Amino acid sequence: MSATRVQNVSRTSSRAAARATAVTAIAASAVLLLSGTAAAHVSVQPQGEAAKGGYATVNFKVPNERDDASTVKLEISMPTEHPLSSVLPQPVPGWKVTVSKSKLAKPLESHGRQITEAVSKVTWTADGSKIGPGQFQQFPVSLGQLPENADQLVFKALQTYDNKEVVRWIEAPQEGAEPESPAPVLELSAPADDHHAEDAKDGKAAEDTKGTKDAQGSAHGEKSASASSDGSDSTARILAVVGILVGAVGVAFGVLSGRRRSS
């Protein structure tokens, strides 16, 4: 192979490698850009589990998306299709919280009492604090009673910046497509075990334990009775031997006494 041909092959390989590197860099940048955009919306996550029919503490996580503005207000609307009888926000330093309630079209039953109104919106307003560029803030809330006939709860969120811009995170999730402004979604886990079943299980375990103890006590009693019987038999045998010995001594003493009198 000539030197010229070798140089041409080398140049072609270098160009191909450069193109591959450029394509890889562009693809990586696109992935990072898309993942950053998808992860930048307001979201909600439970602390532990959010089981159907139970209560849970959740965190609304609010990242700041702007380089030249700070977040100063967050509004979270409660789901209207599944009203919650208990919504308790945890105080966040530097933020003022306001809870709004509304009348329910259909009253709720909770712990034997009827609920005619429920929390419809929770609003946090900056009061000496804010979420600056490159920062995020979490807002904890206790929620309950979670619905038993739903797999998730959708909350609508409004994020306000100090430049008066309002970002509306209100689009419900759609299968096979990611909304441009997705609303926070709380996934609900399977309901906790039935307490009655647990009580029955505990009761059965207690009965089994009692039966075992009774059987052990009975066996111990039989063993004690057997030991007592064995002890009584041994004592009787000993007394019988002693009686025989005493009798033998008495006979020998009588014989010796008779011989002495004869002499």
Side-chain angles (χ1 to χ4, degrees):
M1 183 181 293
S2 64
T4 303
R5 187 173 181 181
V6 170
Q7 290 178 354
N8 291 336
V9 171
S10 178
R11 289 175 182 173
T12 302
S13 300
S14 299
R15 290 173 182 173
R19 289 173 182 172
T21 302
V23 171
T24 301
I26 293 173
S29 300
V31 169
L32 291 175
L33 179 61
L34 292 176
S35 62
T37 302
H41 60 269
V42 176
S43 61
V44 58
Q45 292 294 331
Q47 296 181 12
E49 280 192 345
K52 297 178 182 180
Y55 289 77
T57 298
V58 303
N59 287 325
F60 288 96
K61 183 178 180 180
V62 184
N64 192 84
E65 294 186 302
R66 302 294 180 259
D67 296 330
D68 56 353
S70 298
T71 298
V72 293
K73 187 177 182 180
L74 173 68
E75 299 171 71
I76 299 293
S77 295
M78 299 294 115
T80 56
E81 67 277 12
H82 297 290
L84 301 172
S85 60
S86 176
V87 178
L88 302 174
Q90 179 176 323
V92 177
W95 295 81
K96 179 183 177 182
V97 61
T98 303
V99 177
S100 302
K101 294 184 178 182
S102 60
K103 205 79 171 178
L104 294 176
K106 183 179 179 180
L108 297 175
E109 291 289 337
S110 178
H111 302 289
R113 62 191 183 94
Q114 201 173 60
I115 307 294
T116 58
E117 63 176 9
V119 174
S120 57
K121 184 168 64 174
V122 181
T123 304
W124 289 269
T125 306
D127 185 19
S129 183
K130 58 185 178 181
I131 308 173
Q135 299 177 345
F136 76 93
Q137 177 66 53
Q138 294 193 107
F139 299 89
V141 181
S142 173
L143 301 176
Q145 184 175 4
L146 301 177
E148 298 180 353
N149 57 346
D151 295 324
Q152 63 183 17
L153 291 178
V154 179
F155 301 85
K156 295 183 179 181
L158 300 183
Q159 182 179 9
T160 303
Y161 289 88
D162 55 7
N163 61 0
K164 307 304 181 182
E165 179 189 4
V166 178
V167 181
R168 302 168 62 84
W169 305 105
I170 60 174
E171 297 182 27
Q174 300 177 0
E175 187 175 354
E178 175 71 19
E180 292 184 4
S181 301
V185 177
L186 176 65
E187 300 293 340
L188 303 181
S189 60
D193 293 336
D194 188 0
H195 295 297
H196 297 294
E198 290 297 324
D199 293 341
K201 187 186 296 183
D202 294 341
K204 185 178 184 302
E207 290 179 1
D208 293 341
T209 302
K210 183 178 181 299
T212 302
K213 289 182 178 179
D214 291 343
Q216 291 175 348
S218 177
H220 181 69
E222 292 176 359
K223 185 175 181 181
S224 299
S226 177
S228 177
S229 177
D230 293 342
S232 298
D233 292 343
S234 299
T235 302
R237 291 192 188 98
I238 294 172
L239 291 177
V241 172
V242 171
I244 293 172
L245 292 177
V246 171
V249 171
V251 171
F253 182 75
V255 172
L256 291 176
S257 297
R259 288 179 181 179
R260 288 176 183 174
R261 290 174 185 172
S262 300
S263 303

